[in-house]
Amino acid sequence: MIDYERFFSEESNLYRVSDIRKLLEVAKQKELISLGGGLPDFRIIDLNEVLDAVTTVIMNKGNIALQYSATNGEPSFIDALTEYLEKDVGLEVKENESIIVTTGSQQAIDITARLFLNPNDVLLLEKPTYVASLNAFFPRRPRFEGLEITSDDGISIDELESKLEKLKKEGIKPKVLYIIPSYQNPTGAILPEKSRRKIVELAHEYDFLVVEDDPYSQLTYEGEKPKPIKAFDKEGRVIYISTLSKVVSPGLRIGFVLADRAVINRYSLIKQALDLHSSTLTQLIAEELLRRGFHRKYLSKIIPIYRSRRDAMLRSLEEELGDNAVWTRPRGGMFVFVWLKNNIDTKKLLEKAIDSGVLYVPGSGFYYDGSGRNTMRLNFSYPSEQDIRKGIKILGELVKSEAERNG
Ligand SMILES: *Cc1c(COP(=O)(O)O)cnc(C)c1O
């Protein structure tokens, strides 16, 4: 037996094992009600329509689709993305800007980390934040400066300002603010427009870049679709990252970055070393689906379903956990975030939950410092309303008996 440890690089030790991955493995082996996943629900789509798009691509553009292509993406697909950004997202691609297609937005986040972060560079970020982004940040060893999310409105701009002032007094300039402003993962919080404008101003004033991760703005269940922070950016401070994962299909692995051309050129250099380019085949399939308005049809079907599931979850939480927890009330996205009272440790509770037949994600993995031990993330986009009700009922009983024990 070889001890491989001595061969592994120091950097490879900085990647953390994800709780969610381990959980999903457990979940697969058991018949559980899963409120733990992060899956969009594509079970309602018309597979024949997708098949027709795939056939069209292969029959009409097979030689392009199966060939190597440009690192930044297939030009005809970038045109379709540009139209999607303008018509659906409300973002124009300006003269000095361009787009690079990435292999999921995960690759865009990883490249972002490689592109901007030296060890000890200050990275401002939400606390809690998306665990897969943390995994891209850890190996770069930045200095994390967290902005606590405690309400449905996301981070506090006052807290951001005082943090910036404090850092300035220490003579430290933050480099990047990484933020998921719309229906954040894991909290579901949405940053008000006023705060979005203010962030752009602060970025100018304190000279940092904003990396906006926006997978969810199209999944709006109440009120108007939010305008990305990027929409208020005149100076080129904002790097906009998004994905087709929640609006067309995550299996295509199509993400993209919109930013100033000088920035995109650097993304391109790094991407070339990583995978030359993203799949030409799935780019062309995505293009065909976008041109047919597949995403609009899908969204108009799935949004009312997600909305009802969210409502079922919020109602059940009120009934089953009302005295023992507080939680977010998201107006879009896929998640509700819960803070338990009475010092209940959600990692410890999880074993009991699995024994009782329900799965959730303990929240501490979303905190770069491992805090948030009394928190959990609940997913409402994938389980049925019936399972949501059953799952929350089981959780409510567990939490109640745990609270009595701790009480
Ligand atoms: C789902 C999600 C993504 C999407 O990742 P892909 O690699 O594009 O599938 C990105 N950021 C956040 C915060 C997410 O929740």
Side-chain angles (χ1 to χ4, degrees):
M1 278 274 279
I2 299 172
D3 174 16
Y4 295 102
E5 285 301 324
R6 67 202 157 91
F7 293 105
F8 294 145
S9 71
E10 276 166 37
E11 187 183 295
S12 78
N13 286 321
L14 300 173
Y15 289 86
R16 297 196 190 174
V17 181
S18 146
D19 286 345
I20 302 180
R21 241 170 226 301
K22 281 193 274 180
L23 287 172
L24 289 176
E25 278 156 30
V26 177
K28 264 188 217 144
Q29 293 154 14
K30 279 190 164 195
E31 281 280 319
L32 292 177
I33 294 175
S34 180
L35 309 176
L39 301 181
D41 193 345
F42 284 92
R43 291 169 292 193
I44 56 151
I45 62 160
D46 179 359
L47 288 173
N48 280 315
E49 200 179 337
V50 179
L51 178 63
D52 193 58
V54 173
T55 307
T56 303
V57 168
I58 296 293
M59 297 310 279
N60 297 346
K61 291 181 165 181
N63 289 335
I64 300 172
L66 300 173
Q67 191 52 275
Y68 283 117
S69 59
T71 299
N72 286 25
E74 192 51 34
S76 62
F77 174 52
I78 291 178
D79 289 346
L81 267 184
T82 304
E83 194 179 318
Y84 165 73
L85 282 173
E86 279 167 12
K87 292 209 174 126
D88 298 85
V89 182
L91 273 183
E92 55 159 337
V93 180
K94 299 191 201 100
E95 201 59 31
N96 58 310
E97 290 177 332
S98 60
I99 289 175
I100 183 169
V101 178
T102 56
T103 303
S105 54
Q106 185 60 29
Q107 185 180 52
I109 294 162
D110 181 53
I111 298 176
T112 301
R114 291 168 191 272
L115 179 53
F116 296 112
L117 298 176
N118 291 316
N120 301 318
D121 277 350
V122 171
L123 172 64
L124 298 159
L125 76 180
E126 293 152 313
K127 197 177 171 185
T129 192
Y130 182 43
V131 67
S133 293
L134 286 179
N135 288 332
F137 296 142
F138 285 134
R140 314 264 80 85
R141 291 181 287 132
R143 167 170 161 187
F144 293 104
E145 287 288 342
L147 300 153
E148 199 88 30
I149 293 183
T150 54
S151 85
D152 292 344
D153 287 344
I155 62 165
S156 146
I157 295 299
D158 288 344
E159 196 196 333
L160 172 60
E161 261 194 289
S162 54
K163 195 174 275 289
L164 290 167
E165 266 311 300
K166 193 179 133 253
L167 288 168
K168 194 176 171 183
K169 284 201 184 101
E170 292 174 41
I172 293 168
K173 242 187 191 182
K175 248 192 185 168
V176 168
L177 165 66
Y178 169 72
I179 188 164
I180 309 158
S182 301
Y183 318 127
Q184 202 244 11
N185 184 357
T187 62
I190 178 165
L191 201 68
E193 186 169 314
K194 209 173 120 211
S195 303
R196 295 175 189 233
R197 291 178 187 277
K198 188 72 190 172
I199 282 174
V200 173
E201 285 172 31
L202 290 171
H204 173 80
E205 196 179 330
Y206 290 88
D207 190 28
F208 60 88
L209 296 178
V210 178
V211 174
E212 175 176 29
D213 185 6
D214 181 30
Y216 297 116
S217 59
Q218 302 309 296
L219 299 180
T220 295
Y221 314 138
E222 274 167 37
E224 285 191 17
K225 265 194 267 184
K227 275 196 200 132
I229 299 175
K230 180 77 183 150
F232 306 107
D233 172 35
K234 296 199 179 74
E235 198 191 6
R237 290 266 166 197
V238 182
I239 293 158
Y240 180 80
I241 297 178
S242 188
T243 174
L244 298 185
S245 286
K246 312 308 177 344
V247 298
V248 177
S249 149
L252 294 172
R253 306 309 301 130
I254 301 281
F256 58 95
V257 186
L258 165 66
D260 192 279
R261 199 164 274 137
V263 173
I264 295 297
N265 287 344
R266 280 292 180 102
Y267 272 87
S268 185
L269 279 180
I270 297 177
K271 179 169 170 68
Q272 201 158 22
L274 295 178
D275 64 354
L276 300 183
H277 64 79
S278 297
S279 161
T280 322
L281 177 60
T282 64
Q283 287 182 66
L284 292 186
I285 293 168
E287 177 188 341
E288 186 65 27
L289 290 169
L290 285 178
R291 293 207 192 283
R292 291 171 181 219
F294 172 90
H295 59 301
R296 297 201 188 101
K297 275 177 268 175
Y298 168 68
L299 286 171
S300 71
K301 265 199 244 173
I302 203 67
I303 282 174
I305 296 173
Y306 285 172
R307 187 189 291 121
S308 312
R309 289 178 186 163
R310 176 205 60 175
D311 290 344
M313 180 167 278
L314 293 177
R315 234 179 291 124
S316 296
L317 282 167
E318 201 61 63
E319 287 165 17
E320 309 292 342
L321 273 114
D323 300 329
N324 293 312
V326 291
W327 55 87
T328 52
R329 287 170 177 75
R331 287 187 274 142
M334 309 197 317
F335 305 106
V336 171
F337 202 65
V338 180
W339 289 263
L340 295 182
K341 298 178 186 170
N342 306 305
N343 290 318
I344 296 173
D345 184 320
T346 53
K347 256 192 189 168
K348 288 193 187 138
L349 188 70
L350 185 62
E351 233 168 283
K352 290 180 192 167
I354 289 174
D355 285 344
S356 312
V358 64
L359 195 65
Y360 61 82
V361 182
S364 57
F366 301 100
Y367 291 76
Y368 60 84
D369 57 2
S371 59
R373 304 205 52 122
N374 64 325
T375 64
M376 63 171 80
R377 189 191 74 179
L378 301 175
N379 169 262
F380 59 79
S381 60
Y382 202 75
S384 68
E385 283 180 49
Q386 196 190 359
D387 277 359
I388 288 171
R389 280 193 293 270
K390 268 201 242 164
I392 301 284
K393 193 165 190 328
I394 296 170
L395 262 184
E397 282 160 13
L398 275 175
V399 169
K400 216 171 284 166
S401 67
E402 206 68 9
E404 276 160 19
R405 191 163 320 153
N406 290 7

